[in-house]
Amino acid sequence: NEKHQVDALLLYMQDGYDDGSYQPYRHQGLSGRLSYNYDNRYVGEFNFGYNGSENFAKGNRFGFFPSVAAGWALSEEPFFEKAKDVVDMLKIKASYGLVGNDSLPMRFAYLTLVNMNSGDNEFKGYFGGDDFKIYNGIQVTRWGNADASWEVSRKLNIGLEIGLFNDLTIMADFFHEQRNDIFMLRRSIPASSGFQESTPYANIGAVLNRGVDMSLEYNKAINSDLVISVQGTFTYAHNEVTEKDEPKYQYDYQKLVGKPINSIYGYVADGLFVDQQDIDNSARQEFGAIIRPGDIKYK
């Protein structure tokens, strides 16, 4: 039946490259796609990736990342014929899927690194005798995490495409992405644990990203010699950190959770002090210096 269209793909991938570092990069995986189209009205698609990376320990190297998508061209339905003089095209679509990331802040995060000849004073050894010799010691410079695994993004997209009067096309895509298991340094472990500056990494972070992409295209043939074409785009995106291993800060403004990534935060200036009365009537400035008229006033 010509109304039914099926498309399938199965792909095996393996690569390796050497950038001159101590160990080549290796990836291996299997991916597939199955799509179905009925009469150019209904479209469905399933994709998957089963991907492996040498950046993780055995047992965590492979991740399964599926996705599904569907679309409906309402303008191709028989009941839509009467509206085609105004709305010549109307499509809705949606997709949801998982995406993996193995590009961590370091390679082989499951391995612990040890410096057998550390010159840091806290790791040196002192031995008695006539000359009181000092020997370099052993230092753990990075604690490995055997459970290190893929960072995973869960992506949802809902789209709408409208054509008006055979001249104007409007497209809008609403997206929602939750990125979990972000591999980052732990910050809440106390110094008394003995890790010093080498606190371990873990898949503990999460970020939410959402917004809308819109585009508009207008094409109008005035005559055989003149065609007017206008295009425009609009994007709004908002992201915020939803999970992060943070110390127990004294004040809420110091926390990154609930704020956009790479937020700029700190003291807020409110002009300059005019005179001593202005200093006395403002928030107390605790910077260890004598505050005088002309200094920056902080809220």
Side-chain angles (χ1 to χ4, degrees), residues 76 99 157 184 235:
E76 298 300 317
V99 178
N157 191 91
M184 58 176 52
T235 298

Side-chain angles (χ1 to χ4, degrees), residues 115-189:
N115 183 357
M116 300 297 293
N117 190 31
S118 175
D120 288 2
N121 288 330
E122 56 191 312
F123 299 102
K124 286 182 177 181
Y126 295 85
F127 297 89
D130 295 335
D131 52 2
F132 289 94
K133 287 185 177 180
I134 301 175
Y135 296 90
N136 289 342
I138 299 173
Q139 177 186 9
V140 176
T141 57
R142 190 186 79 190
W143 293 94
N145 184 344
D147 295 324
S149 61
W150 293 80
E151 298 180 347
V152 180
S153 294
R154 291 168 172 81
K155 300 188 176 188
L156 172 66
N157 191 91
I158 299 175
L160 179 66
E161 189 172 347
I162 303 175
L164 301 174
F165 308 106
N166 292 304
D167 299 322
L168 178 65
T169 302
I170 302 172
M171 290 178 287
D173 287 281
F174 302 89
F175 58 88
H176 183 285
E177 177 185 358
Q178 179 69 54
R179 184 179 175 192
N180 296 322
D181 303 322
I182 299 175
F183 201 69
M184 58 176 52
L185 190 66
R186 286 195 174 275
R187 298 291 186 182
S188 62
I189 298 178

Side-chain angles (χ1 to χ4, degrees), residues 56-78:
F56 307 114
K58 290 183 178 180
N60 292 324
R61 287 179 179 165
F62 284 85
F64 181 64
F65 308 106
S67 69
V68 292
W72 182 20
L74 284 80
S75 54
E76 298 300 317
E77 296 287 356

Side-chain angles (χ1 to χ4, degrees), residues 2-299:
E2 294 182 357
K3 290 185 177 182
H4 298 275
Q5 298 179 15
V6 179
D7 180 40
L9 171 69
L10 187 64
L11 179 68
Y12 173 79
M13 179 277 296
Q14 181 172 323
D15 68 46
Y17 67 93
D18 191 345
D19 64 351
S21 61
Y22 52 86
Q23 192 76 5
Y25 290 80
R26 295 281 193 268
H27 293 91
Q28 185 182 42
L30 187 69
S31 60
R33 181 185 72 238
L34 178 64
S35 61
Y36 172 73
N37 184 321
Y38 176 73
D39 198 25
N40 292 320
R41 284 186 286 168
Y42 313 109
V43 178
E45 185 170 294
F46 171 75
N47 292 271
F48 78 90
Y50 184 63
N51 303 319
S53 171
E54 41 74 40
N55 211 21
F56 307 114
K58 290 183 178 180
N60 292 324
R61 287 179 179 165
F62 284 85
F64 181 64
F65 308 106
S67 69
V68 292
W72 182 20
L74 284 80
S75 54
E76 298 300 317
E77 296 287 356
F79 64 77
F80 208 86
E81 283 295 327
K82 295 182 179 180
K84 277 204 166 184
D85 291 339
V86 178
V87 182
D88 57 273
M89 179 183 59
L90 178 60
K91 297 179 181 179
I92 57 175
K93 58 186 178 180
S95 63
Y96 179 79
L98 276 60
V99 178
N101 174 48
D102 71 326
S103 299
L104 306 186
M106 77 286 290
R107 294 193 67 192
F108 310 117
Y110 59 92
L111 297 178
T112 296
L113 303 184
V114 179
N115 183 357
M116 300 297 293
N117 190 31
S118 175
D120 288 2
N121 288 330
E122 56 191 312
F123 299 102
K124 286 182 177 181
Y126 295 85
F127 297 89
D130 295 335
D131 52 2
F132 289 94
K133 287 185 177 180
I134 301 175
Y135 296 90
N136 289 342
I138 299 173
Q139 177 186 9
V140 176
T141 57
R142 190 186 79 190
W143 293 94
N145 184 344
D147 295 324
S149 61
W150 293 80
E151 298 180 347
V152 180
S153 294
R154 291 168 172 81
K155 300 188 176 188
L156 172 66
N157 191 91
I158 299 175
L160 179 66
E161 189 172 347
I162 303 175
L164 301 174
F165 308 106
N166 292 304
D167 299 322
L168 178 65
T169 302
I170 302 172
M171 290 178 287
D173 287 281
F174 302 89
F175 58 88
H176 183 285
E177 177 185 358
Q178 179 69 54
R179 184 179 175 192
N180 296 322
D181 303 322
I182 299 175
F183 201 69
M184 58 176 52
L185 190 66
R186 286 195 174 275
R187 298 291 186 182
S188 62
I189 298 178
S192 57
S193 64
F195 284 109
Q196 281 116 1
E197 70 275 8
S198 302
T199 53
Y201 281 75
N203 295 92
I204 52 177
V207 171
L208 175 64
N209 185 39
R210 59 187 185 273
V212 59
D213 282 318
M214 298 187 68
S215 66
L216 181 148
E217 183 174 348
Y218 179 78
N219 294 287
K220 181 69 174 179
I222 305 301
N223 51 49
S224 59
D225 298 320
L226 178 62
V227 176
I228 297 176
S229 179
V230 179
Q231 296 179 336
T233 61
F234 168 81
T235 298
Y236 170 78
H238 173 77
N239 71 75
E240 64 179 75
V241 177
T242 55
E243 293 182 29
K244 181 179 174 64
D245 190 33
E246 295 184 304
K248 292 183 178 180
Y249 291 116
Q250 183 178 2
Y251 303 105
D252 288 340
Y253 78 88
Q254 296 174 293
K255 298 177 182 178
L256 187 57
V257 172
K259 299 183 179 69
I261 299 174
N262 297 326
S263 294
I264 299 174
Y265 65 96
Y267 297 113
V268 179
D270 191 24
L272 305 177
F273 286 115
V274 177
D275 50 29
Q276 186 59 45
Q277 184 178 3
D278 189 15
I279 296 174
D280 296 337
N281 295 331
S282 301
R284 188 172 60 182
Q285 315 286 299
E286 296 181 338
F287 298 102
I290 299 175
I291 305 300
R292 295 184 174 88
D295 290 342
I296 298 175
K297 182 201 305 184
Y298 293 102
K299 290 185 180 181

